[in-house]
Amino acid sequence: WASAMARTRGGASRDAGSLYARTRATVSAAARRLGDRDDARCAAAVSALLCAFELVFCVAIIAKVPYTEIDWRAYMDEVGGFLQGERDYTKLKGDTGPLVYPAGFVYLYAVLKKVIIGCADDAPCDDANDVRVAQYVFLVVYVAHLCVTLATYRNARGVVPPYALITLSISKRIHSIFVLRMFNDGVASLFAHLTVFAAQRRKWPLAFFLLSIGVSVKMNVLLMVPPALVLLVGGTRPSVAIVSVLIFVVTQIALSLPFWMSGFFREYVSPAGGVFCA
């Protein structure tokens, strides 16, 4: 009996040792993969898990963190004037002053107000239910933004190891910009990252179209134009470069046509109250 017990204890000890060794080997292998800059499959897995986690986490933020008004009502007032037929940019105003963002901003928030939330043209659109709907829309925008950003990092292989991708979502500020404040910065940034993603694939006409859309939402995306032009000229044929630049310009003209054709070109571009204040 004593011999049998000894053999049992010895077997249990060997099993425990084997389990520990396997666990240690698995953890070590995972750590090596997470630190390998060239492990594309590991980076893809980290990206997928991170996007899924952020989706759940942002739902919790919307449910638990109180909304505080900053610019949302001003946005709704500004696009409300547009929905009521006003095309003079100097007369599109909100609580924080005159509208200073380009036409893409107007269309974006007008669709959000009129079509998605379903508010009246002159309504402030700021009751709890309206704001909650908008927050869920921007949750989708945020997750899309994160997925595109992660994809650009994965495309630039060897830049960062997979574990470092986690740092792209740990900012408290970025969650606030998207799902609590619903600033246009988030949408403009999404188009900026889509531009980078398209440029990585040498899709220059598409990249400059996306860049133009981003500029139309907020003018600070215009800061990307000089380096984008350098990459464009050095990375493709002259004919493709010319077409890409024309696409950028024509997109800007097309988006601003409702204001220009109404006789308010000067008001649209005026430094005193137009898009160049943004």
Side-chain angles (χ1 to χ4, degrees):
W1 179 82
S3 177
M5 288 296 295
R7 286 196 299 271
T8 302
R9 286 196 297 270
S13 178
R14 285 193 298 272
D15 290 343
S18 177
L19 177 61
Y20 171 76
R22 290 196 301 271
T23 302
R24 182 176 180 180
T26 300
V27 172
S28 297
R32 283 195 300 271
R33 295 195 66 180
L34 286 169
D36 185 354
R37 295 169 183 263
D38 297 317
D39 195 331
R41 292 183 64 184
C42 183
V46 170
S47 299
L49 289 172
L50 192 58
C51 289
F53 171 79
E54 283 294 312
L55 180 62
V56 176
F57 183 56
C58 288
V59 170
I61 290 176
I62 293 171
K64 299 297 183 181
V65 180
Y67 162 79
T68 53
E69 163 64 25
I70 296 183
D71 284 336
W72 174 253
R73 180 159 186 163
Y75 289 175
M76 294 297 99
D77 288 343
E78 289 162 359
V79 302
F82 172 80
L83 289 170
Q84 294 176 75
E86 182 60 68
R87 297 296 180 265
D88 183 346
Y89 241 69
T90 61
K91 295 180 181 179
L92 297 177
K93 299 180 179 181
D95 291 346
T96 57
L99 173 61
V100 295
Y101 301 122
F105 165 88
V106 176
Y107 305 142
L108 169 70
Y109 282 87
V111 169
L112 183 59
K113 178 177 185 175
K114 185 72 173 180
V115 179
I116 299 178
I117 300 177
C119 292
D121 295 347
D122 58 348
C125 211
D126 61 352
D127 68 39
N129 291 332
D130 295 338
V131 170
R132 183 60 53 88
V133 171
Q135 285 181 299
Y136 279 113
V137 171
F138 274 84
L139 183 157
V140 174
V141 174
Y142 168 66
V143 174
H145 177 275
L146 178 61
C147 291
V148 173
T149 305
L150 289 167
T152 60
Y153 274 84
R154 294 201 313 274
N155 287 339
R157 291 188 179 183
V159 175
V160 295
Y163 76 83
L165 296 175
I166 298 171
T167 61
L168 295 173
S169 66
I170 61 176
S171 167
K172 179 180 178 181
R173 174 65 175 165
I174 197 169
H175 292 91
S176 175
I177 287 172
F178 280 91
V179 299
L180 291 178
R181 310 297 177 225
M182 297 162 290
F183 291 153
N184 60 328
D185 304 70
V187 180
S189 182
L190 171 60
F191 281 103
H193 281 87
L194 284 169
T195 299
V196 175
F197 186 78
Q200 286 178 322
R201 285 162 167 72
R202 301 295 189 268
K203 305 292 186 181
W204 294 110
L206 175 60
F208 272 75
F209 170 73
L210 294 167
L211 182 60
S212 190
I213 296 295
V215 170
S216 78
V217 175
K218 192 167 185 179
M219 286 287 286
N220 58 0
V221 180
L222 195 63
L223 295 171
M224 292 179 62
V225 171
L229 287 172
V230 171
L231 293 173
L232 176 67
V233 172
T236 189
R237 302 188 308 275
S239 59
V240 176
I242 292 171
V243 168
S244 300
V245 172
L246 285 175
I247 287 174
F248 180 93
V249 174
V250 169
T251 300
Q252 287 297 310
I253 293 173
L255 289 170
S256 60
L257 274 180
F259 303 96
W260 292 21
M261 293 182 68
S262 298
F264 296 109
F265 170 78
R266 182 176 296 180
E267 288 77 6
Y268 183 75
V269 300
S270 170
V275 298
F276 291 107
C277 289

